[in-house]
Amino acid sequence: MRVHTWSLLAALGGTLGAALVAHAEPTTDDYVIQEGDTCIGIAIKALGDRKLLTDFHKLNPQLGKLPHNLVPGQVVKVPHIEPTPDAQLTGKSGPVRVRKPSGGDWDNARRGMDLFRAWRVGAEQRASAEVTFVDTQQLFLRENTVVVIYGPERRRARIDAPEAVLERGALRSRLGELSGKSVTVTTPSAEAHLGAGSAVVAVDDAGLSTVANHEGKAIDLRGKSGGKVAVKSGMGTRVAKGKKPEKPRPLPPPPAWDAAGPLGFVAIDGVAALAASWQPQAKAASYRFELLRGTAVVAAAELPGSITRFELYGAPPGDYTARLASLDKDRLEGKPGPSLAITVRVAALVAPGADAPRLATAGADDEPIAPAAPPPALVAARGARIVTDGITCAAGPAAPAAVAVLAEVGPTPITCAGAGLTFAPFTVDVTDVTVAPAAAGAATVTQGQSAAFELVLRSDAALGDTWQLEPSLGLSVAKSERTPTGLRVTLAAATTAPPTGTLRVVDPTTQRTLGEIAVAVVEEGTTPAPAPAPATPTGLRPPRFTVGGYAGATVLATGVDGNELGNAALPSDVVEGSATVGARTTWWFTPNLFVEAEAAVVPTRFVGASTSALVVSGHAHVGARMLDHRQYALHAVVGAGGYGLFSDSAYADDDVDPDVYWGLTGAAEVGESLRLRLDGRQHYMADRLGGVASAFELNLGLELVLERQ
């Protein structure tokens, strides 16, 4: 019996000892001391209850006697408290990050994630975030903004307001009238208690805080260095570090949009160019522009007060609202004016002979619009079509249709409508399509037999790969395949086929004919008639690349006011003009514009002396087609370059002088790949008296066409 008693006592003692150990060693967490932390601050901010200050001191006896010197980076123990969320990330656009109070790396934030006491939320470049506290108070973070989230102290949760520490950037508050609560926003220089309504609080790199009350209850604003003001609705003020709050003053009124109603834009191939304008506001030093999709800000910018129009490129299809506010010279931001509704609908520009792509869909709410350069001009081949979703478009004077076909060559205005809107018009430059046999003359096939030939499809814009070939009576297409330059066709002729026929190239989607060729049908056993000579072209089709040479004469101004090549002091040492030989290369980057580089040599001598000299020149210019008629063309050029002098004269130095010039060029086609050119140029350069001398150049040359457009 005694043994059992001692065993029971031992067991009870072990249990009691384990309980005491468990009580003596409560569960704890590590906490990293931050700049500005105090013991009471850690108890309130990190733990949520000032009553836990005693427990904090018991867990950290190494801190010694009060007052404690807390060093940033120092690790201390805090009681483990099962966290409950203080807020939620209810919206985001672009890169938003969160960081826990224990430090470490920033993590990617997710929409709908819980936010806890002392967590940092950061909206980066071209980003925004929406934070909703448990009592439905909301804060909207703008780009490059970091806040620290705090719920109310746990033991006072029913009476305390949530708090956000604004470390940098700007945020906007929105509190409903029925919430009955407020939000405290703390900055490096002030503490603002925001009630029901909407306000903007911002802090710059110097710690200067700006507070603007757009609407609602007055804001209780207190400076950290003293002073207190009430910022009423429609008023704003500033607080600098170490200063008291300034006297509140009226906020600037918003500008008025020029457009009275919703605006519509067409997104070609997935992106649109948006634009809107407004009336200038006299009190605005700058404007704050925001574009929202739903509640997410997908694009924002601050524009100078001299600007009264925004243009935004790259917007995907969807429904947007544009918001605009004025900022005064002290950067106090007024309440935005009425929002402007913007609708973007999608369309695709489809090349003839191509299948329509899948139309782009609306972008996600949390996807910001990336900055983009102005889109290039729209160019399409004759027969291209505009495919839309939910709207109709008209090409030029044609009637609106769900699929608009671009049938006329030249700049074609496109107007679209739908969903109760007329969309902003845009223009497509429609280029022609040439359909012709690769060999000169008509395609030839013998009755009862087949013949293969190449068919060329040519355009300055894209062409598709799917074509419908429609032969005339007695002819049939045995085979066809796409080639880099057109089609390879095998055509069969019946024994009863007439002597002449045609082959049409048709877009199978629109059933529009892009062109047709003549087909000669000969009787079996006869010799085909010689192919007719090709028709005289109605215009000179420009080349793509050429190289060539030329010869002529260069006349340099002489005398006391002549050219200053050689820097000679004596009029007799002026270089005179002479015969010229040179070479050039040309690139036509559009059918009507080209760039050209030239190099030439002028073997010559000095005026009044027997000493020889060599003048070399290098020039580059841009040119434009002015006129063309059949195989002839006239171009204008303007450019710059220079002349260099090399000689053995004891009185003239080697020298290089720059010049500018203009001129005219006449060209004539003299063969399939050969062009004859006559060029006249007027050059201007410095003279020997500090003025301007001139030189005239005339040359005749040949150039080889390496590639045609």
Side-chain angles (χ1 to χ4, degrees), residues 13-39:
T15 303
L16 180 59
L20 291 173
V21 170
H23 178 73
E25 298 180 2
T27 305
T28 62
D29 295 322
D30 288 340
Y31 178 82
V32 180
I33 300 297
Q34 307 294 315
E35 185 72 36
D37 272 348
T38 63
C39 295

Side-chain angles (χ1 to χ4, degrees), residues 540 588 624-629 632-636 664-667 678:
L540 184 64
W588 289 76
R625 178 197 297 267
M626 296 178 62
L627 300 171
D628 66 81
H629 179 70
Y632 305 104
L634 179 65
H635 312 142
L664 296 175
T665 296
L678 179 65

Side-chain angles (χ1 to χ4, degrees), residues 14-154:
T15 303
L16 180 59
L20 291 173
V21 170
H23 178 73
E25 298 180 2
T27 305
T28 62
D29 295 322
D30 288 340
Y31 178 82
V32 180
I33 300 297
Q34 307 294 315
E35 185 72 36
D37 272 348
T38 63
C39 295
I40 188 66
I42 293 173
I44 296 174
K45 301 285 189 183
L47 304 177
D49 197 335
R50 66 181 68 240
K51 286 185 176 181
L52 294 176
L53 176 61
T54 302
D55 294 339
F56 172 74
H57 283 152
K58 288 180 180 179
L59 290 174
N60 296 279
Q62 77 280 7
L63 296 177
K65 296 181 179 181
L66 292 171
H68 294 146
N69 181 26
L70 302 182
V71 180
Q74 181 182 6
V75 179
V76 294
K77 297 291 185 181
V78 294
H80 175 75
I81 295 177
E82 199 63 36
T84 57
D86 293 278
Q88 190 177 68
L89 188 70
T90 50
K92 63 179 287 290
S93 174
V96 177
R97 309 281 188 254
V98 294
R99 192 176 74 178
K100 298 178 181 179
S102 57
D105 295 333
W106 289 83
D107 297 322
N108 290 329
R110 305 180 311 278
R111 180 186 296 185
M113 72 181 300
D114 290 331
L115 303 173
F116 296 87
R117 173 172 292 273
W119 279 29
R120 280 171 168 77
V121 181
E124 299 186 356
Q125 186 76 21
R126 298 201 335 269
S128 63
E130 178 186 273
V131 174
T132 302
F133 289 96
V134 292
D135 289 328
T136 71
Q137 300 97 321
Q138 289 183 312
L139 296 179
F140 298 86
L141 280 63
R142 293 178 176 175
E143 64 178 5
N144 299 320
T145 297
V146 176
V147 300
V148 188
I149 301 298
Y150 295 107
E153 188 176 337
R154 283 181 172 81

Side-chain angles (χ1 to χ4, degrees), residues 557-564 568-572 574 607 686-691 693:
T558 58
V560 294
D561 58 348
N563 69 84
E564 67 164 5
L570 298 175
S572 61
V574 177
V607 176
D687 67 10
R688 300 161 65 83
L689 300 178

Side-chain angles (χ1 to χ4, degrees), residues 444 520 522 526-532:
T444 302
V522 298
T526 63
T527 302

